[in-house]
PDB file of all heavy atoms in Angstrom:
ATOM      1  N   LEU A  82     -36.214-102.013-104.961  1.00  0.00           N
ATOM      2  CA  LEU A  82     -35.213-103.074-105.110  1.00  0.00           C
ATOM      3  C   LEU A  82     -33.842-102.419-105.262  1.00  0.00           C
ATOM      4  O   LEU A  82     -33.632-101.599-106.147  1.00  0.00           O
ATOM      5  CB  LEU A  82     -35.527-103.913-106.336  1.00  0.00           C
ATOM      6  CG  LEU A  82     -34.755-105.189-106.545  1.00  0.00           C
ATOM      7  CD1 LEU A  82     -34.992-106.189-105.425  1.00  0.00           C
ATOM      8  CD2 LEU A  82     -35.123-105.828-107.888  1.00  0.00           C
ATOM      9  N   GLU A  83     -32.942-102.787-104.358  1.00  0.00           N
ATOM     10  CA  GLU A  83     -31.623-102.197-104.361  1.00  0.00           C
ATOM     11  C   GLU A  83     -30.576-103.263-104.066  1.00  0.00           C
ATOM     12  O   GLU A  83     -30.761-104.077-103.161  1.00  0.00           O
ATOM     13  CB  GLU A  83     -31.575-101.103-103.271  1.00  0.00           C
ATOM     14  CG  GLU A  83     -30.261-100.414-103.141  1.00  0.00           C
ATOM     15  CD  GLU A  83     -30.288 -99.372-102.042  1.00  0.00           C
ATOM     16  OE1 GLU A  83     -31.173 -99.396-101.196  1.00  0.00           O
ATOM     17  OE2 GLU A  83     -29.379 -98.539-102.049  1.00  0.00           O
ATOM     18  N   GLU A  84     -29.494-103.241-104.846  1.00  0.00           N
ATOM     19  CA  GLU A  84     -28.401-104.191-104.620  1.00  0.00           C
ATOM     20  C   GLU A  84     -27.121-103.411-104.355  1.00  0.00           C
ATOM     21  O   GLU A  84     -26.795-102.478-105.078  1.00  0.00           O
ATOM     22  CB  GLU A  84     -28.191-105.089-105.837  1.00  0.00           C
ATOM     23  CG  GLU A  84     -27.097-106.125-105.625  1.00  0.00           C
ATOM     24  CD  GLU A  84     -26.949-107.076-106.802  1.00  0.00           C
ATOM     25  OE1 GLU A  84     -27.256-106.674-107.946  1.00  0.00           O
ATOM     26  OE2 GLU A  84     -26.530-108.205-106.558  1.00  0.00           O
ATOM     27  N   ARG A  85     -26.409-103.834-103.305  1.00  0.00           N
ATOM     28  CA  ARG A  85     -25.130-103.232-102.978  1.00  0.00           C
ATOM     29  C   ARG A  85     -24.207-104.334-102.453  1.00  0.00           C
ATOM     30  O   ARG A  85     -24.546-105.019-101.503  1.00  0.00           O
ATOM     31  CB  ARG A  85     -25.279-102.183-101.862  1.00  0.00           C
ATOM     32  CG  ARG A  85     -25.917-100.919-102.330  1.00  0.00           C
ATOM     33  CD  ARG A  85     -25.819 -99.838-101.278  1.00  0.00           C
ATOM     34  NE  ARG A  85     -26.562 -98.678-101.743  1.00  0.00           N
ATOM     35  CZ  ARG A  85     -27.037 -97.766-100.955  1.00  0.00           C
ATOM     36  NH1 ARG A  85     -26.855 -97.848 -99.662  1.00  0.00           N
ATOM     37  NH2 ARG A  85     -27.709 -96.740-101.444  1.00  0.00           N
ATOM     38  N   ALA A  86     -23.081-104.459-103.078  1.00  0.00           N
ATOM     39  CA  ALA A  86     -22.040-105.408-102.652  1.00  0.00           C
ATOM     40  C   ALA A  86     -22.586-106.814-102.399  1.00  0.00           C
ATOM     41  O   ALA A  86     -22.291-107.451-101.422  1.00  0.00           O
ATOM     42  CB  ALA A  86     -21.344-104.876-101.394  1.00  0.00           C
ATOM     43  N   GLY A  87     -23.405-107.301-103.330  1.00  0.00           N
ATOM     44  CA  GLY A  87     -23.916-108.676-103.222  1.00  0.00           C
ATOM     45  C   GLY A  87     -25.080-108.837-102.283  1.00  0.00           C
ATOM     46  O   GLY A  87     -25.582-109.930-102.079  1.00  0.00           O
ATOM     47  N   GLN A  88     -25.554-107.744-101.666  1.00  0.00           N
ATOM     48  CA  GLN A  88     -26.716-107.809-100.783  1.00  0.00           C
ATOM     49  C   GLN A  88     -27.858-107.050-101.430  1.00  0.00           C
ATOM     50  O   GLN A  88     -27.656-106.008-102.047  1.00  0.00           O
ATOM     51  CB  GLN A  88     -26.384-107.234 -99.410  1.00  0.00           C
ATOM     52  CG  GLN A  88     -25.339-108.067 -98.691  1.00  0.00           C
ATOM     53  CD  GLN A  88     -25.205-107.664 -97.234  1.00  0.00           C
ATOM     54  OE1 GLN A  88     -25.737-106.656 -96.795  1.00  0.00           O
ATOM     55  NE2 GLN A  88     -24.504-108.477 -96.488  1.00  0.00           N
ATOM     56  N   VAL A  89     -29.061-107.602-101.278  1.00  0.00           N
ATOM     57  CA  VAL A  89     -30.246-107.012-101.906  1.00  0.00           C
ATOM     58  C   VAL A  89     -31.258-106.666-100.823  1.00  0.00           C
ATOM     59  O   VAL A  89     -31.500-107.452 -99.909  1.00  0.00           O
ATOM     60  CB  VAL A  89     -30.882-108.010-102.897  1.00  0.00           C
ATOM     61  CG1 VAL A  89     -32.175-107.443-103.486  1.00  0.00           C
ATOM     62  CG2 VAL A  89     -29.888-108.328-104.013  1.00  0.00           C
ATOM     63  N   ARG A  90     -31.849-105.477-100.953  1.00  0.00           N
ATOM     64  CA  ARG A  90     -32.981-105.084-100.123  1.00  0.00           C
ATOM     65  C   ARG A  90     -34.179-104.969-101.058  1.00  0.00           C
ATOM     66  O   ARG A  90     -34.139-104.199-102.009  1.00  0.00           O
ATOM     67  CB  ARG A  90     -32.723-103.746 -99.439  1.00  0.00           C
ATOM     68  CG  ARG A  90     -33.900-103.315 -98.570  1.00  0.00           C
ATOM     69  CD  ARG A  90     -33.836-101.814 -98.245  1.00  0.00           C
ATOM     70  NE  ARG A  90     -34.958-101.398 -97.433  1.00  0.00           N
ATOM     71  CZ  ARG A  90     -36.148-101.046 -97.893  1.00  0.00           C
ATOM     72  NH1 ARG A  90     -36.419-101.082 -99.180  1.00  0.00           N
ATOM     73  NH2 ARG A  90     -37.105-100.669 -97.056  1.00  0.00           N
ATOM     74  N   ALA A  91     -35.194-105.766-100.811  1.00  0.00           N
ATOM     75  CA  ALA A  91     -36.400-105.771-101.637  1.00  0.00           C
ATOM     76  C   ALA A  91     -37.592-105.342-100.807  1.00  0.00           C
ATOM     77  O   ALA A  91     -37.964-106.042 -99.852  1.00  0.00           O
ATOM     78  CB  ALA A  91     -36.635-107.155-102.228  1.00  0.00           C
ATOM     79  N   GLY A  92     -38.165-104.206-101.134  1.00  0.00           N
ATOM     80  CA  GLY A  92     -39.419-103.786-100.525  1.00  0.00           C
ATOM     81  C   GLY A  92     -40.543-104.298-101.412  1.00  0.00           C
ATOM     82  O   GLY A  92     -40.618-103.920-102.587  1.00  0.00           O
ATOM     83  N   VAL A  93     -41.365-105.183-100.896  1.00  0.00           N
ATOM     84  CA  VAL A  93     -42.371-105.843-101.724  1.00  0.00           C
ATOM     85  C   VAL A  93     -43.746-105.746-101.101  1.00  0.00           C
ATOM     86  O   VAL A  93     -43.909-105.529 -99.908  1.00  0.00           O
ATOM     87  CB  VAL A  93     -42.037-107.353-101.946  1.00  0.00           C
ATOM     88  CG1 VAL A  93     -40.676-107.513-102.594  1.00  0.00           C
ATOM     89  CG2 VAL A  93     -42.139-108.143-100.672  1.00  0.00           C
ATOM     90  N   ASN A  94     -44.746-105.898-101.939  1.00  0.00           N
ATOM     91  CA  ASN A  94     -46.114-106.087-101.519  1.00  0.00           C
ATOM     92  C   ASN A  94     -46.418-107.546-101.834  1.00  0.00           C
ATOM     93  O   ASN A  94     -46.171-108.003-102.959  1.00  0.00           O
ATOM     94  CB  ASN A  94     -47.060-105.152-102.270  1.00  0.00           C
ATOM     95  CG  ASN A  94     -48.330-104.879-101.497  1.00  0.00           C
ATOM     96  OD1 ASN A  94     -48.514-105.318-100.366  1.00  0.00           O
ATOM     97  ND2 ASN A  94     -49.226-104.135-102.122  1.00  0.00           N
ATOM     98  N   ALA A  95     -46.898-108.295-100.864  1.00  0.00           N
ATOM     99  CA  ALA A  95     -47.097-109.730-101.037  1.00  0.00           C
ATOM    100  C   ALA A  95     -48.557-110.111-100.840  1.00  0.00           C
ATOM    101  O   ALA A  95     -49.223-109.598 -99.937  1.00  0.00           O
ATOM    102  CB  ALA A  95     -46.221-110.520-100.080  1.00  0.00           C
TER     103      ALA A  95
END
Side-chain angles (χ1 to χ4, degrees):
L82 189 63
E83 179 181 17
E84 182 177 29
R85 286 190 185 157
Q88 296 191 349
V89 176
R90 180 197 180 274
V93 303
N94 204 4

